[in-house]
Amino acid sequence: MALTDEAITKIRAMIQSGELPPGSRLPPEPQLATQMGLSRSGVREAVKALESARVLDVRRGDGTYVTSLAPRLLLEGLGLAVELLQDDTLLEVMEVRRMLEPVATGLAAVRLSDGQLDELGGILDDMRAAADDHEKLIHFDTAFHRTVIAATGNETLTTLMDGLSSRTLRARVWRGLIEGNSAHTTIEEHDAIYRALRARDQLLAQASALLHVNTSEAWLRAVLADRASNERA
């Protein structure tokens, strides 16, 4: 593992220095191992690890290339990690969303195209029509927020928010809201966000998004507190 870690560090340094820019082809394994003064096995394992991290693209019969290093590739694993988080750690994720999502929504208010606003309006109509179907609501909820965040034009922010918005967590929240007869209220929160965006009101959009995230966070806190109380009983 020490040799593999060293090989990873050296390959990363070559990428960071510009010696291996995005899209470039790595030297053949024997040459790369000699160049770095490491064993071929260590280099091979390092390449595998960096391929899993979407830093390298191994093309069988062609060679190994540095990827585009775009945020959507490098941050792709975040969503998988969030899906595995438990209880209090999920609250930390919600806190991060509360820090980022309202500001991003406010930024979207001044960057959204008319076409994107029309798309959001259509998604909102779909949400109202699916008010009692949590599976459909998850789909439309994801599409709504993804469209808003994507409108910022910030690929890093879009990828981060997509990763933090766990489908499992969304499912739990929507199922709970439907069971508690609160789905319609939450849909109206989406409508408030939409109206603020349509008005190009940055501060109102930010405030509306903050209220919406707080609804989900409050529900999650209540569920976890109830579970903890039952476990102590």
Side-chain angles (χ1 to χ4, degrees):
M1 287 302 298
L3 291 176
T4 300
D5 288 344
E6 185 178 354
I8 290 173
T9 299
K10 289 189 174 183
I11 294 172
R12 287 175 57 191
M14 294 168 72
I15 294 171
Q16 289 170 331
S17 69
E19 184 178 350
L20 288 173
S24 63
R25 182 177 178 177
L26 271 66
E29 184 184 288
Q31 180 181 336
L32 187 59
T34 300
Q35 183 178 335
M36 294 192 298
L38 297 171
S39 68
R40 291 179 60 177
S41 62
V43 171
R44 189 177 306 119
E45 292 304 315
V47 168
K48 288 180 181 178
L50 292 171
E51 181 185 20
S52 296
R54 304 294 190 269
V55 174
L56 298 179
D57 178 19
V58 179
R59 305 174 190 174
R60 306 303 173 191
D62 185 14
T64 299
Y65 293 79
V66 180
T67 67
S68 66
L69 303 179
R72 60 182 173 78
L73 287 176
L74 300 183
L75 299 174
E76 189 176 53
L78 177 61
L80 297 175
V82 169
E83 289 286 348
L84 297 174
L85 297 179
Q86 304 292 312
D87 296 352
D88 288 348
T89 315
L90 282 175
L91 285 174
E92 293 182 4
V93 172
M94 293 301 297
E95 287 181 351
V96 175
R97 279 189 59 193
R98 179 153 45 86
M99 295 173 195
L100 296 178
E101 193 165 325
V103 176
T105 304
L107 182 60
V110 296
R111 294 186 178 179
L112 272 161
S113 68
D114 290 341
Q116 287 168 320
L117 281 168
D118 291 341
E119 182 181 354
L120 282 176
I123 295 170
L124 195 56
D125 289 340
D126 290 335
M127 290 182 75
R128 290 195 180 98
D132 298 317
D133 186 330
H134 84 271
E135 282 297 331
K136 288 184 178 179
L137 282 171
I138 296 165
H139 172 76
F140 296 133
D141 179 47
T142 300
F144 183 93
H145 292 289
R146 184 173 289 160
T147 301
V148 172
I149 304 303
T152 65
N154 186 318
E155 187 179 357
T156 300
L157 178 61
T158 301
T159 307
L160 277 173
M161 292 307 304
D162 205 32
L164 290 170
S165 300
S166 157
R167 177 178 172 81
T168 299
L169 181 55
R170 284 184 188 276
R172 291 169 65 183
V173 170
W174 276 111
R175 189 178 296 111
L177 291 171
I178 289 174
E179 290 173 355
N181 296 315
S182 300
H184 290 280
T185 300
T186 307
I187 291 172
E188 289 309 308
E189 290 176 3
H190 285 78
D191 181 63
I193 294 171
Y194 170 72
R195 284 186 280 108
L197 292 171
R198 176 66 74 178
R200 307 286 185 180
D201 190 325
Q202 186 170 7
L203 291 179
L204 183 57
Q206 183 170 334
S208 299
L210 177 59
L211 175 63
H212 176 56
V213 175
N214 279 347
T215 296
S216 298
E217 184 178 348
W219 179 87
L220 182 59
R221 287 186 182 278
V223 168
L224 295 179
D226 185 57
R227 178 188 299 173
S229 177
N230 290 334
E231 288 175 352
R232 286 194 299 268

